[in-house]
Amino acid sequence: MNKPISALDIAKVTKKLPTSEQIEIIESALQPAVVIAGAGSGKTETMATRVLWLVANGYAKPEEILGLTFTRKAAAELKKRIKDRLKQLRKEGLIDHNVSIEVPVMTYHSYAGNILREYGLRLGIDTDSDLIGEAVVWQQAARVLRTWDDPDFEYEGAFKTLVSDLLGLTKSAMEHGVTEAEIIAETNKVLERIAEIPSDKDVDKVRLVLKQRIKLLEISKKLRDERIASGQLSFDDQMFYAAKIAQEVEKVGELERAKYKVVLLDEYQDTSQSQVRMLSALYKNGHPVMAVGDPYQAIYGWRGAAIGTIKNFPNDFPGAASFELSYTFRNDVAILQLANKLGE
């Protein structure tokens, strides 16, 4: 039996010496895991070397390791880094010359698009749907609101605010995986309770807001139905339906887990609720999913990301191990000396 290849063996080839924390992560068992990594802590290098270690020791082929991140630029950079390092390992004989050096690294949205294209027909969704931007979505909402003929619909405020409220309500519903009908049903229950309260200025205001919500939800449903019928989906639609497929069609998860033996999730703190639902449904039952992120660097709150996402990882992926990258490579020597002095 061949001797296992360690992270330090790989470092001799790549000339990138890992810290003890990085080695622990790189050589960790195949199980769900979350890595809390601060700014400049070498998380991308750790992820790349994790791939090398998995391939060199025969745990997975490069094409069986899925990497997801947020931007196309970050995906391209990570993919190139891994490919270049695999070339180095192949040259030094640490991996077989016949082994592929192409690792599927893509954005979260690209992966959701793949799920929708491959399995969308299972939910009756056109797999060739075009993605439309926020501007087009706004224009569609404005058009429907201007032509919405309902004498019972009242709204206090500017038209621009009305459009924003409609789109915000639609986004929130999709992010949390609930339908307009479900929200309307719960809203009606609240209205029934309010009906028992003596009327006054505040009660009337709440009643008006809830009735407005119901009407906006009806419009939201019409807009989403129109987009599906016309073969046009927004980015939020894409994530919502990809998550729905993952949760409702068990076979999809079986196929994806067979395709990707290991999954690496970058910038996990910026994932939305829809993305978490999709990933936790696809890669459940202890599948090796390693998420890396910094809860203090979340920048996609406007897309539905929340600081609790990375903290909830053990709940979404039961049995997850927890790691930390505490050393930052961006610190100047003077800062490190001061930190050491303060720690004495």
Side-chain angles (χ1 to χ4, degrees):
M1 183 176 179
N2 293 331
K3 178 184 176 182
I5 296 171
S6 69
L8 291 178
D9 292 330
I10 293 172
K12 291 176 184 177
V13 177
T14 62
K15 309 303 180 186
K16 298 289 183 180
L17 185 64
T19 65
S20 58
E21 288 180 333
Q22 288 177 309
I23 291 175
E24 184 181 12
I25 295 166
I26 292 165
E27 298 181 350
S28 62
L30 291 179
Q31 65 183 62
V34 59
V35 180
I36 306 299
S41 59
K43 63 183 180 63
T44 303
E45 185 64 38
T46 304
M47 289 178 65
T49 308
R50 169 72 167 170
V51 173
L52 304 185
W53 183 82
L54 290 167
V55 174
N57 286 286
Y59 289 111
K61 298 175 183 176
E63 63 270 23
E64 295 173 330
I65 303 173
L66 174 65
L68 299 181
T69 188
F70 264 90
T71 67
R72 288 191 292 269
K73 180 181 178 182
E77 290 175 351
L78 180 57
K79 186 171 185 175
K80 184 178 185 305
R81 184 183 303 202
I82 294 172
K83 185 175 181 178
D84 290 344
R85 301 285 172 77
L86 286 172
K87 284 182 180 178
Q88 289 180 290
L89 295 193
R90 193 163 65 179
K91 183 177 179 181
E92 296 298 323
L94 291 185
I95 62 174
D96 193 274
H97 279 268
N98 294 321
V99 171
S100 166
I101 55 174
E102 294 291 342
V103 175
V105 181
M106 63 191 82
T107 67
Y108 288 95
H109 271 293
S110 293
Y111 183 61
N114 288 349
I115 294 295
L116 211 53
R117 279 189 295 274
E118 291 186 41
Y119 310 109
L121 289 177
R122 295 170 185 256
L123 288 185
I125 298 174
D126 183 1
T127 56
D128 294 324
S129 297
D130 296 323
L131 274 181
I132 56 176
E134 296 293 327
V136 176
V137 173
W138 201 96
Q139 290 170 355
Q140 290 177 343
R143 172 183 54 78
V144 171
L145 283 169
R146 285 194 180 98
T147 58
W148 190 258
D149 185 17
D150 187 340
D152 295 327
F153 181 49
E154 300 178 49
Y155 187 85
E156 296 179 356
F159 182 74
K160 184 177 180 181
T161 305
L162 173 59
V163 177
S164 296
D165 286 350
L166 171 61
L167 296 180
L169 188 57
T170 301
K171 180 187 286 287
S172 182
M174 287 194 287
E175 274 301 320
H176 290 88
V178 293
T179 66
E180 289 87 356
E182 290 171 328
I183 302 175
I184 289 173
E186 292 301 317
T187 304
N188 279 324
K189 290 180 183 178
V190 177
L191 282 170
E192 289 174 4
R193 294 178 183 176
I194 290 178
E196 301 171 2
I197 302 174
S199 180
D200 62 24
K201 183 179 179 181
D202 292 333
V203 172
D204 290 344
K205 180 66 176 178
V206 171
R207 184 182 294 109
L208 176 61
V209 170
L210 293 176
K211 287 182 176 179
Q212 287 174 349
R213 177 188 294 175
I214 290 174
K215 295 300 180 182
L216 287 176
L217 287 164
E218 292 173 355
I219 299 171
S220 172
K221 178 66 165 58
K222 175 180 173 61
L223 276 167
R224 286 206 298 119
D225 289 345
E226 281 187 359
R227 287 200 294 271
I228 292 177
S230 64
Q232 293 182 317
L233 296 179
S234 68
F235 284 98
D236 291 325
D237 292 331
Q238 185 185 64
M239 285 306 315
F240 173 78
Y241 288 114
K244 190 175 178 65
I245 290 168
Q247 290 179 300
E248 296 183 5
V249 187
E250 183 68 29
K251 188 65 177 179
V252 173
E254 294 175 8
L255 293 170
E256 291 300 297
R257 290 191 293 274
K259 186 189 304 181
Y260 301 117
K261 291 184 177 180
V262 179
V263 179
L264 300 176
L265 306 176
D266 189 25
E267 304 291 1
Y268 189 76
Q269 77 280 349
D270 281 323
T271 50
S272 67
Q273 293 301 312
S274 289
Q275 290 164 341
V276 171
R277 289 200 313 277
M278 175 186 73
L279 293 166
S280 61
L282 292 177
Y283 299 105
K284 57 187 179 180
N285 300 329
H287 200 77
V289 177
M290 178 175 283
V292 184
D294 180 355
Y296 301 106
Q297 287 198 83
I299 60 174
Y300 286 105
W302 56 279
R303 283 188 180 176
I307 193 169
T309 302
I310 195 165
K311 294 180 180 179
N312 288 332
F313 186 88
N315 296 325
D316 296 316
F317 298 89
S322 181
F323 300 97
E324 183 177 352
L325 289 174
S326 59
Y327 181 88
T328 174
F329 294 92
R330 294 179 186 172
N331 281 347
D332 183 85
V333 173
I335 296 177
L336 290 173
Q337 290 175 341
L338 177 60
N340 290 333
K341 186 176 181 180
L342 291 173
E344 292 177 354

